[in-house]
Amino acid sequence: MKIICLGDSLTEGLGIAKVNAWPAVLQNELSVEIINKGISGDTSTGMLSRFYHDVVLNNPSHVIICAGGNDLWWNVDLNYILSNIYSMVKQAIHNNIQPIIAIHPPIHLENINHKEVWEPINGFETFVLKAKELAERIEQMVEINQFNLIDFRIPFQHHQQLKTEFFEGTDGVHPNELGHIALAKQAYQTMKEI
């Protein structure tokens, strides 16, 4: 098994050492080769444009696609985001790579550091609403097409309350090391079942 993790700052591990980002933690759990292809600030369009180079040419058995967060920041239409994710999934399947779609965890609105974080184009409240809608649409896509899913929202919520300890010492958007451990555990649960 060889896994490529394709994504944005959440995958890259912005704000923490790369050895503590969830792909590295997952690699230690699974004892398989995992290549982190997260680029901070990247969009689903950027990931699609580099899919062949960053994924196909590395010949993995699996690819985890974690896209959409930065698209929402720029208020990109949901159908456009979904079409990019769908295209990456189909390219993976065409190249005999098993795709896994990931849903981003929530952000900690009350803990946003406005000096470090540029506000989304339509504001944080709209971003949160659209993130929820995107997650629901991804769930529909996954269910209809029988794709694999990692729902990174799950470990971040406890009885509908955000686990704020995952954001202590951060900008409120990117989780800390504890949050990345939780992300890796969630990914591990999915990978065990595949």
Side-chain angles (χ1 to χ4, degrees), residues 20-77:
N20 296 319
W22 70 262
V25 177
L26 180 61
Q27 177 172 274
N28 294 336
E29 289 289 321
L30 290 175
S31 297
V32 299
E33 182 182 3
I34 296 183
I35 301 173
N36 187 337
K37 291 292 184 178
I39 296 178
S40 293
D42 203 5
T43 62
S44 61
T45 300
M47 292 175 213
L48 178 58
S49 70
R50 62 188 174 93
F51 193 87
Y52 183 77
H53 182 269
D54 283 0
V55 179
V56 176
L57 291 182
N58 278 293
N59 197 30
S61 57
H62 298 76
V63 59
I64 299 173
I65 302 165
C66 191
N70 289 309
D71 298 79
L72 294 175
W73 217 264
W74 291 101
N75 198 33
V76 173
D77 183 78

Side-chain angles (χ1 to χ4, degrees), residues 117-192:
V117 179
W118 189 17
E119 186 166 342
I121 296 301
N122 281 357
F124 282 106
E125 289 184 16
T126 300
F127 172 86
V128 170
L129 290 173
K130 287 191 77 172
K132 183 178 179 186
E133 185 180 351
L134 176 62
E136 290 168 356
R137 300 273 303 275
I138 288 174
E139 286 178 314
Q140 291 170 355
M141 179 195 295
V142 165
E143 184 177 352
I144 291 168
N145 294 283
Q146 298 297 298
F147 297 149
N148 293 304
L149 175 71
I150 299 172
D151 191 343
F152 282 141
R153 296 171 300 174
I154 293 171
F156 276 66
Q157 297 183 13
H158 180 70
H159 302 301
Q160 301 304 313
Q161 296 297 316
L162 183 68
K163 290 190 177 176
T164 57
E165 65 268 25
F166 292 161
F167 291 97
E168 287 177 8
T170 75
D171 59 11
V173 175
H174 302 95
N176 58 24
E177 291 178 13
L178 190 62
H180 275 270
I181 290 170
L183 294 171
K185 286 181 179 176
Q186 188 66 31
Y188 178 74
Q189 292 303 317
T190 299
M191 296 308 296
K192 275 200 319 182

